[in-house]
Amino acid sequence: MKVDTPCLELKKTIPISGVPGPPVLSVSSIVLAPDGSIYFSDEYNHRIVVLNAEGEFIRAQGGRGAGAGEFWYPRGLALADVNNTTMLVVCDAWNHRIQMFDLDGNYLSEFGSIGEGEENFNEPVSVISDMEGGLWILDRCNHRIKRHRADGGLLSTFGKGMTMAQEEEKNNPVNILLENIGAETGFHYPMDFIQLADGSFLIVDTGNHRLVNVSQEGAALRSIRMDIEEKPPFSYPFTVSPVMGDVVIVGLLNAQSVLLDINNPWMRAGARLNSEPGRSRLAPAWKLKGGAPELVVADSKRLVIDRYELALVENPLAPSAPQAELPGGASLAEIPGRWDKIDRHDWGLYLKRGDRPEADMELALKYLDSCKRSASVAAQILIEVEGELCQMTPPLYNARDRVRLGGMNAEDFEKARMEVARAALSFSGALEKRTALRWRLIKDIAAAVDLLAIDGKAGHWTKERSAFADLLKSEYGQREKDFVETVKWIREKFSRPDSVGMEIVTNAFAVIFFLLDHLNYLIAAISKLDRSFMEPDTLKDDKRVLAELVKELKGDVRNVTNEPEKLLGLLCERWGFFETAQAAYTRKAERNHKSSEVYARLLTGLLQKTGELEKAKQILDRFAPKDVSKTTTAGIWERHMRVQKIMTQDPPLSITLSQG
């Protein structure tokens, strides 16, 4: 795979000269005017400085303040053409506003103030103008991008604050990696962004150590990790500038700037600028009349402007294949942390392109073997962690139940609250570990499936695809057996009210939660490799019923410990174990807790369903509000009362209606 990409050659260094007042401390942003003059934001001196093409001082404007034309840490700059007039747009970061000036430095207008609303900003740091006169603004501490008209009117907005750990917890890897459903992606204190040739944006997601490519509607297209391993020293990207084609230069706070091909992300190398890390700002590459393309870099420590000429050479960044050694090993410790976020992805991109030359076949086999071994390790540890979580659910439920029940003196109540906190903390720690392992496992499976499924269309990998599908089917068979045996045990226990304790219930639902998850991702993976695969009919009914109940948990197994009586009652109603359901609802309704009314309504509905109308009347008399019209649950109580009235008529209304 041959890729021509740019390299940089320093052609000229121009001293920044004649700037009055305090020395330039920090160049935060730099833009070039059509006549070659240079505008930069001197952030720590709260001003904008204008130089000619030779670095000579023309003027400075601003000063610290909040008035018109004053700044408080100005950052991003852009030139915008609005109504046939070119304006300088300034992100006045700590005044949380956007100011606009003509090219002579005269103040024109402003918009924005601090806050989280549509018209607000919280530290705008970068701005891009578009062909329609719109302004795209990176609102750093609100973790979003907004598009405004030049008069300040909001056109669109997208983005939210999310760390990568929060993304993993919120998104389901089965949907994203195996079913191609878009992920919900956020940003964590982004510092810069650029617009690519296709109109999408490349965002420097500094707090997450990555670049994120998003559409103009905010849909995540891809991400590029700047760290391979999540351990110090971390890479903190803070600037990005287009260079040529799909190659960008990424400035890092604590390391050398990096040239990166965003379509071949394994092709990266140090940019070899003369500036120290974190001390330079780059203007987008531009082309002088009659000359070669240039990259203009402002260095605030050396107080110079460096001009680099760009030239195309064949593969200056790296050889055509990724060079990092393929990971994988016998234990989790041998697998570099989060290698799958960058190296594995890079290998996948490389191996999926076109027909495989013979030289790549050995690499592809190693890649597949690495994915399988890593998945095996993750699966083994994941099952162990899920076992620990199942054992933790009863103690957590008991601790919470004691606090909910109350009736203790202040000292005992405080001890009970601390017990809940300790149990919840341990549970959350194990759950975070499960989330990370689950993502690792499904990413490994999806990587292998993706490569094998695509290659299958071209007639390659028939043997490997069949072998991997058989491996997944074997795992599915084991999980299916576990599910059937667990459901059989639960049915036996739940059929007898005297054998059902809440410890059993919480443990049982946690086991079902995890087993359903394993079955779902295995079905999704196998179906991509073998379209003839069908889920066994013997599994469908119980799986459907239990999957509907698991939805009550809203994707969080911790909710098993909140209202297990409700889950127990609903399941037993579905299975016809009405005595057990009645016992579960009654237990909760009679505890004088704030949720008693909820269980009283469930109990009323069950008693009416089973024809125990006298008991239903007693529950209505005891729990229904005197004036239901004034309650938020008026509709539910009124429905129960209407049903009770209809069913107790003599003769029953159903008979009257049938006789006309």
Side-chain angles (χ1 to χ4, degrees):
M1 184 188 302
K2 294 184 178 181
V3 181
D4 290 337
T5 50
C7 67
L8 304 178
E9 182 180 352
L10 180 63
K11 287 298 184 181
K12 191 175 184 180
T13 296
I14 305 169
I16 297 174
S17 61
V19 180
V24 175
L25 295 176
S26 176
V27 177
S28 184
S29 181
I30 176 173
V31 293
L32 308 176
D35 63 359
S37 57
I38 301 168
Y39 292 73
F40 67 80
S41 51
D42 183 7
E43 180 182 357
Y44 294 163
N45 288 320
H46 314 285
R47 63 184 178 180
I48 306 299
V49 175
V50 186
L51 310 174
N52 64 19
E54 299 304 316
E56 297 168 340
F57 176 77
I58 297 177
R59 70 172 180 276
Q61 61 190 74
R64 180 168 176 171
E70 296 177 324
F71 306 108
W72 196 9
Y73 297 110
R75 293 188 181 170
L77 304 178
L79 296 177
D81 291 322
V82 180
N83 298 325
N84 298 318
T85 301
T86 301
M87 301 188 302
L88 176 68
V89 184
V90 182
C91 292
D92 190 4
W94 279 28
N95 280 322
H96 312 287
R97 64 182 177 180
I98 301 298
Q99 294 199 70
M100 283 168 284
F101 304 83
D102 64 23
L103 295 190
D104 292 324
N106 298 307
Y107 170 85
L108 297 175
S109 62
E110 67 180 75
F111 61 89
S113 59
I114 189 169
E116 300 177 355
E118 290 187 350
E119 307 303 323
N120 301 126
F121 298 101
N122 191 350
E123 204 173 312
V125 292
S126 188
V127 57
I128 297 170
S129 64
D130 60 29
M131 299 297 291
E132 291 78 35
L135 300 174
W136 296 88
I137 300 160
L138 186 62
D139 190 7
R140 177 175 177 263
C141 294
N142 282 326
H143 317 282
R144 64 185 178 183
I145 290 176
K146 303 171 67 186
R147 184 173 183 244
H148 287 263
R149 296 192 303 269
D151 63 5
L154 181 68
L155 297 172
S156 63
T157 182
F158 65 83
K160 63 173 64 177
M162 293 177 73
T163 64
M164 288 202 305
Q166 289 170 331
E167 286 180 2
E168 289 188 350
E169 185 174 352
K170 193 172 188 65
N171 290 302
N172 187 341
V174 178
N175 296 341
I176 297 165
L177 300 172
L178 293 172
E179 297 177 351
N180 299 320
I181 298 174
E184 184 173 347
T185 302
F187 314 117
H188 194 51
Y189 298 103
M191 290 288 290
D192 197 9
F193 73 142
I194 58 172
Q195 192 164 25
L196 302 176
D198 62 2
S200 66
F201 296 101
L202 188 65
I203 299 169
V204 178
D205 190 8
T206 305
N208 284 323
H209 317 289
R210 65 181 179 181
L211 308 178
V212 182
N213 183 204
V214 299
S215 70
Q216 292 189 15
E217 293 73 37
L221 304 175
R222 55 186 161 177
S223 65
I224 301 171
R225 287 283 301 174
M226 301 307 295
D227 281 330
I228 295 178
E229 300 185 30
E230 282 204 334
K231 62 182 182 181
F234 297 119
S235 293
Y236 287 95
F238 75 109
T239 65
V240 63
S241 292
V243 175
M244 182 182 292
D246 291 315
V247 175
V248 298
I249 187 167
V250 182
L252 303 175
L253 281 170
N254 56 339
Q256 186 181 25
S257 296
V258 173
L259 273 172
L260 175 70
D261 184 336
I262 59 176
N263 284 326
N264 305 286
W266 62 87
M267 299 183 69
R268 61 178 74 186
R272 298 183 179 86
L273 301 178
N274 282 352
S275 307
E276 292 182 8
R279 299 307 297 264
S280 62
R281 291 297 188 275
L282 290 72
W286 69 319
K287 188 172 183 178
L288 294 172
K289 291 182 179 179
E294 287 191 356
L295 188 72
V296 178
V297 180
D299 187 319
S300 57
K301 183 175 182 180
R302 293 163 51 230
L303 290 181
V304 299
I305 302 291
D306 286 329
R307 291 184 179 273
Y308 293 85
E309 185 175 293
L310 306 174
L312 284 175
V313 298
E314 185 177 312
N315 295 329
L317 302 182
S320 58
Q323 294 303 292
E325 183 178 350
L326 278 168
S331 70
L332 196 63
E334 294 179 19
I335 304 174
R338 296 195 178 277
W339 67 268
D340 54 332
K341 288 189 177 295
I342 181 165
D343 278 16
R344 201 280 314 276
H345 176 67
D346 295 350
W347 277 95
L349 281 178
Y350 174 75
L351 293 171
K352 284 192 292 185
R353 293 186 176 180
D355 293 332
R356 309 287 179 265
E358 289 298 322
D360 288 343
M361 294 300 289
E362 184 179 352
L363 293 175
L365 288 172
K366 287 183 179 179
Y367 169 79
L368 290 171
D369 182 63
S370 171
C371 291
K372 287 190 286 186
R373 287 195 293 161
S374 179
S376 176
V377 173
Q380 180 181 352
I381 302 175
L382 176 61
I383 290 172
E384 293 174 2
V385 172
E386 288 176 345
E388 294 172 6
L389 284 165
C390 289
Q391 294 175 4
M392 289 179 180
T393 51
L396 179 57
Y397 166 78
N398 288 332
R400 284 178 169 171
D401 197 49
R402 280 193 292 273
V403 171
R404 285 192 289 253
L405 188 59
M408 296 175 277
N409 59 42
E411 182 179 352
D412 289 341
F413 184 75
E414 186 60 28
K415 288 180 180 178
R417 285 182 64 251
M418 291 302 297
E419 184 181 353
V420 171
R422 284 191 295 269
L425 186 62
S426 298
F427 196 92
S428 295
L431 197 58
E432 286 180 10
K433 188 174 182 181
R434 178 190 180 261
T435 299
L437 286 163
R438 180 171 176 263
W439 269 92
R440 181 190 292 273
L441 169 62
I442 296 174
K443 281 184 176 180
D444 289 331
I445 292 174
V449 166
D450 195 25
L451 182 63
L452 291 170
I454 291 176
D455 261 7
K457 296 177 182 178
H460 299 299
W461 301 100
T462 302
K463 178 181 177 182
E464 288 79 7
R465 186 172 64 256
S466 178
F468 193 59
D470 288 344
L471 180 65
L472 294 176
K473 289 176 184 177
S474 175
E475 183 67 17
Y476 178 86
Q478 182 59 52
R479 298 285 80 79
E480 177 192 359
K481 180 181 177 182
D482 294 341
F483 181 82
V484 170
E485 291 178 352
T486 301
V487 170
K488 180 180 178 181
W489 182 86
I490 291 174
R491 277 183 176 275
E492 181 182 347
K493 286 289 184 183
F494 288 9
S495 65
R496 295 177 285 117
D498 58 347
S499 67
V500 179
M502 287 304 107
E503 294 85 356
I504 291 176
V505 174
T506 54
N507 188 279
F509 274 107
V511 171
I512 289 295
F513 180 95
F514 295 137
L515 283 174
L516 284 174
D517 185 53
H518 285 283
L519 290 171
N520 287 337
Y521 75 70
L522 287 167
I523 289 171
I526 295 168
S527 298
K528 292 189 75 171
L529 296 175
D530 182 359
R531 296 185 182 277
S532 65
F533 176 76
M534 297 290 290
E535 186 178 1
D537 290 336
T538 55
L539 200 64
K540 286 183 178 178
D541 289 341
D542 281 334
K543 186 184 173 194
R544 177 180 52 78
V545 170
L546 288 164
E548 289 176 2
L549 287 178
V550 164
K551 288 181 181 178
E552 295 275 341
L553 304 177
K554 299 178 181 178
D556 190 343
V557 71
R558 281 173 291 202
N559 291 331
V560 165
T561 65
N562 289 337
E563 300 288 347
E565 294 90 350
K566 182 178 180 181
L567 293 173
L568 173 62
L570 292 174
L571 179 58
C572 288
E573 282 194 62
R574 301 282 182 88
W575 280 347
F577 302 150
F578 297 126
E579 288 186 28
T580 305
Q582 187 177 139
Y585 295 153
T586 301
R587 175 180 183 273
K588 199 72 172 181
E590 292 182 345
R591 298 186 67 178
N592 296 321
H593 185 260
K594 62 182 180 181
S595 62
S596 293
E597 186 180 320
V598 174
Y599 285 90
R601 294 197 303 269
L602 290 170
L603 180 57
T604 301
L606 174 60
L607 292 170
Q608 290 173 341
K609 182 191 299 184
T610 57
E612 299 177 76
L613 301 182
E614 185 58 37
K615 287 185 179 180
K617 181 178 182 303
Q618 293 173 9
I619 298 298
L620 286 170
D621 291 342
R622 178 178 173 184
F623 289 98
K626 299 302 181 184
D627 186 355
V628 296
S629 63
K630 295 182 179 180
T631 67
T632 57
T633 56
I636 301 174
W637 282 117
E638 288 171 351
R639 183 168 65 251
H640 283 314
M641 291 174 178
R642 286 197 303 271
V643 170
Q644 186 74 11
K645 182 178 180 180
I646 291 171
M647 295 185 72
T648 54
Q649 285 183 358
D650 188 20
L653 182 61
S654 58
I655 297 176
T656 304
L657 291 174
S658 67
Q659 294 175 346

